């Protein structure tokens, strides 16, 4: 059963950042405006809260969620997101997030091979829920779609990045 002790400090930081990066990649793939961004943020928070209270959740997921709920864990994860956006143009955010998710997938495969698949499935689930959080397009919430074509493409890219 893998937990924080299976990883170096830098590796754990990458694993800790990954839930935020999965949601961030979706948001960057098709920016939704202020309300949509809030809805997507709430969707990420909901996934974390569900994992915290679910007794059947994978132990590695639980360890990451518990660490993210500490001040130090949140600071480390935010620092990771900051590293993705620093010096980048908004058009580069998604590609940078995907690159970091590929690195995380590699770390998980080498350091937690038994938990890797479940953790990466959880990240994909989080990304999907973020994509479904708001209505894209339309006017004042009318006439839009739940998941835009750009979000659907980003979800496929996330899935590919995590399968590495």
């Amino acid at each position: 059963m893998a937990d924080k002790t299976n990883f170096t400090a830098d590796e754990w930081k990458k694993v800790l950042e990954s839930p935020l990066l999965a949601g961030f990649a979706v948001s960057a793939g098709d920016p939704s405006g202020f309300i949509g961004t809030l809805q997507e943020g709430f969707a990420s928070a909901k996934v974390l809260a569900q994992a915290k209270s679910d007794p059947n959740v994978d132990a590695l997921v639980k360890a990451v969620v518990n660490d993210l709920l500490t001040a130090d864990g949140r600071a480390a994860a935010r620092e990771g997101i900051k590293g993705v956006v620093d010096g980048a143009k908004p058009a580069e955010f998604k590609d940078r997030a995907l690159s970091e998710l590929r690195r995380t997938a590699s770390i998980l495969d080498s350091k937690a091979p038994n938990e890797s698949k479940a953790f990466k499935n959880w990240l994909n689930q989080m990304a999907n829920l973020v994509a479904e959080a708001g209505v894209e397009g339309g006017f004042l919430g009318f006439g839009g779609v739940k998941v835009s074509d750009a979000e659907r493409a980003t979800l496929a890219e996330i899935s590919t990045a995590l399968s590495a």
Side-chain angles (χ1 to χ4, degrees):
M1 180 166 33
D3 61 16
K4 187 175 183 174
T5 61
N6 293 79
F7 303 90
T8 67
D10 286 339
E11 290 168 340
W12 182 249
K13 186 174 176 271
K14 288 293 165 206
V15 173
L16 197 59
E17 294 166 4
S18 63
L20 299 181
L21 284 170
F24 181 76
V26 171
S27 296
D30 190 10
S32 301
F34 181 72
I35 299 297
T37 300
L38 282 176
Q39 291 171 322
E40 290 168 350
F42 286 133
S44 290
K46 183 178 178 181
V47 171
L48 294 173
Q50 288 172 337
K52 171 110 176 108
S53 63
D54 183 350
N56 299 316
V57 77
D58 179 76
L60 182 56
V61 170
K62 185 77 85 175
V64 166
V65 170
N66 287 336
D67 206 359
L68 279 172
L69 295 176
T70 68
D72 289 342
R74 282 188 304 277
R78 277 194 305 265
E79 183 181 315
I81 296 294
K82 187 175 183 284
V84 168
V85 299
D86 277 352
K89 296 175 184 167
E92 299 171 324
F93 291 170
K94 179 185 80 169
D95 289 337
R96 284 184 172 202
L98 291 169
S99 176
E100 292 303 313
L101 287 171
R102 278 190 287 280
R103 286 182 59 200
T104 301
S106 178
I107 291 167
L108 290 166
D109 289 343
S110 68
K111 294 293 186 109
N114 294 332
E115 291 84 1
S116 180
K117 183 176 180 179
F119 192 88
K120 292 188 285 187
N121 285 341
W122 179 69
L123 292 175
N124 274 312
Q125 175 193 12
M126 175 175 279
N128 277 290
L129 291 174
V130 168
E132 295 169 356
V135 176
E136 306 297 328
F139 180 71
L140 297 175
F142 297 101
V145 295
K146 242 349 189 176
V147 180
S148 71
D149 289 341
E151 286 175 325
R152 203 171 271 103
T154 300
L155 292 171
E157 290 175 292
I158 291 170
S159 182
T160 299
L162 292 172
S163 68

